Amino acid sequence: MSLGHPDDVEAFRRLVLERSGLILSAEKDYLLKSRLEPIARAEGLADVAAMLRQVRLAPGARLAQRCIDGMATHESFFFRDATPFDQLRETILPQLLAARAQTKTLRIWSAACSSGQEPYSLAMLLMEERARFADWKIEILATDFSQPILERARTAAYSEFEVRRGLSDQRQARWLVRDGEMFRIAPEVRNMVQFRNHNLLDGMATLGRFDLILCRNVLIYFDPATKAKTLDGIAACLNSDASLILGSAETVVGLAGAFEPTPGLRGVFRVKEGQRAAA
Ligand SMILES: C[S@@+](CC[C@H](N)C(=O)[O-])C[C@H]1O[C@@H](n2cnc3c(N)ncnc32)[C@H](O)[C@@H]1O
């Protein structure tokens, strides 16, 4: 089946790139088809071709946004890749606790948080270490550009499959409450996370400064220019001794001059000395 008129398809590819940074090369036509067909059906449209025609005619309309959202990969799971969370508990958090002993505040940003497993994993880990900073003010900001996925994250309800994917029995018993067929994150963990709609292509200055940023498994979908611009924006949001954690398949090497790897820590980066002003 053809996806539609080549001009409509091309216009959609451009729109997705402009609004989300995601590259949809021609080899990804299978992805376009498999993700757009259910949306066309749900919208009561004849087929994807008819839908892409409408999107081209009204790129600012709700349908266009729904199709753009539909192209993003929302795959996520609790304590994904384990290593970043082990490094956080063993090295990064103790360093931050020592460095912020005076102000007793910690701001963490989970950028491109998808359905919430990443920020809730952070909150669980912090709750488990709570005794070390009982009277601290800790803020976890979790953002994504997809409104539907944020709504899902806010419900904090996960299926048994999602829960088993990353949460040990011990964590399940401690941090989940059964709710019919689903499992809900315990209120004390849920309340630590604030969700907000934010597109990484937009300005970041309004988000403030952070002591730790996790931006994992989203840059891989961006072209090099968008990756570099996003990393520059992130560099400007980090406090001087703060860290950026990327996904296991991502790196800043060759992309953003502002960052350098942190020796001994996998996937953890710091803003280079002397680059802060530039960022
Ligand atoms: C694969 S998920 C990663 C979730 C989580 N960080 C993790 O590693 O498990 C990628 C997320 O990036 C979001 N995303 C894609 N482009 C974005 C953009 N330009 N701004 C903000 N979020 C974006 C998608 O909506 C999706 O939820």
Side-chain angles (χ1 to χ4, degrees), residues 81-150:
D81 301 335
T83 306
F85 294 94
D86 293 342
Q87 295 180 151
L88 255 176
R89 197 184 51 247
E90 287 156 20
T91 312
I92 301 171
L93 269 182
Q95 282 172 0
L96 279 172
L97 290 179
R100 303 285 182 276
Q102 295 299 315
T103 57
K104 295 192 171 184
T105 60
L106 216 47
R107 288 195 81 223
I108 302 175
W109 178 20
S110 166
C113 65
S114 189
S115 34
Q117 286 93 330
E118 181 176 279
Y120 289 135
S121 300
L122 280 169
M124 285 178 199
L125 192 130
L126 286 159
M127 286 298 288
E128 288 159 10
E129 302 293 313
R130 194 72 186 153
R132 297 159 77 177
F133 43 90
D135 55 344
W136 284 51
K137 183 173 180 280
I138 296 174
E139 192 188 325
I140 301 174
L141 177 70
T143 63
D144 201 283
F145 86 140
S146 164
Q147 198 60 50
I149 206 73
L150 279 178

Side-chain angles (χ1 to χ4, degrees), residues 222-243:
F222 291 174
D223 63 67
T226 311
K227 275 184 202 175
K229 193 167 171 258
T230 306
L231 286 168
D232 282 348
I234 287 175
C237 288
L238 282 167
N239 284 322
S240 59
D241 54 352
S243 298

Side-chain angles (χ1 to χ4, degrees), residues 20 73-76 80 112 114 118 144-145 199-200 216-217:
S20 71
T73 299
H74 297 300
E75 163 94 352
S76 189
R80 186 174 192 168
S114 189
E118 181 176 279
D144 201 283
F145 86 140
N199 190 329
L200 287 168
R216 305 193 310 144
N217 305 301

